[in-house]
Amino acid sequence: MAFIGFAGSFLARLMGGFTNDLKTLIMLMAIDFITGLAVAGIFKKSDKTENGALSSKTGFRGIAKKCLALTFVLIAHRLDLLLGVSFTRTAVILAYIANELVSIIENAGLMGMPVPMVVKKAIDILTEKSQDN
């Protein structure tokens, strides 16, 4: 357990610290993964497999994409340090937060859940902020 905590702390430090924006991104990544599992496992409506059901290959692909997104956060932080700026990491995190929210909304739609308008507007604001940065 201590090793996992050490590794997590080390990775968070490499990405610029375990800040609220990074915490939000990681939380949304977990929610997206869980709702994706529900869409495929319970509702059998996944558009990522032929029969709409669970697929370990698809699951691993999703995890790999999320790891790559976190790698881009790390790269953006290193670019901030190199260039002496502080907006690249934030813009990358906001873009991925918007992406995760869109995916969660898609999953909710596949499950037949209505999405509150305030969440849709928040995504628009996040998308604008990430593009402005």
Side-chain angles (χ1 to χ4, degrees):
M1 264 325 228
F3 175 74
I4 293 171
F6 175 77
S9 297
F10 178 74
L11 289 172
R13 185 177 168 100
L14 281 178
M15 288 186 262
F18 203 51
T19 56
N20 283 331
D21 54 358
L22 184 58
K23 289 177 193 176
T24 301
L25 176 60
I26 292 170
M27 179 193 66
L28 291 174
M29 285 177 162
I31 291 169
D32 179 44
F33 190 75
I34 291 167
T35 57
L37 287 175
V39 165
I42 298 169
F43 294 92
K44 309 277 192 261
K45 291 184 176 181
S46 175
D47 56 359
K48 297 184 174 58
T49 59
E50 286 182 30
N51 59 2
L54 285 173
S55 163
S56 59
K57 184 178 179 181
T58 302
F60 287 127
R61 227 181 277 142
I63 290 171
K65 286 180 179 180
K66 291 180 186 323
C67 288
L68 185 59
L70 292 173
T71 301
F72 278 115
V73 171
L74 185 149
I75 292 167
H77 173 63
R78 299 309 302 177
L79 286 172
D80 276 349
L81 293 175
L82 183 68
L83 299 172
V85 296
S86 62
F87 59 84
T88 312
R89 175 184 180 270
T90 301
V92 168
I93 289 175
L94 289 176
Y96 282 120
I97 285 173
N99 187 54
E100 293 296 328
L101 285 170
V102 167
S103 183
I104 292 167
I105 287 173
E106 288 171 354
N107 290 340
L110 290 169
M111 289 188 257
M113 291 287 301
V115 178
M117 187 56 68
V118 69
V119 174
K120 292 178 183 178
K121 288 185 183 203
I123 293 170
D124 292 339
I125 291 169
L126 282 170
T127 303
E128 284 178 29
K129 276 189 166 188
S130 67
Q131 290 172 352
D132 288 345
N133 282 333

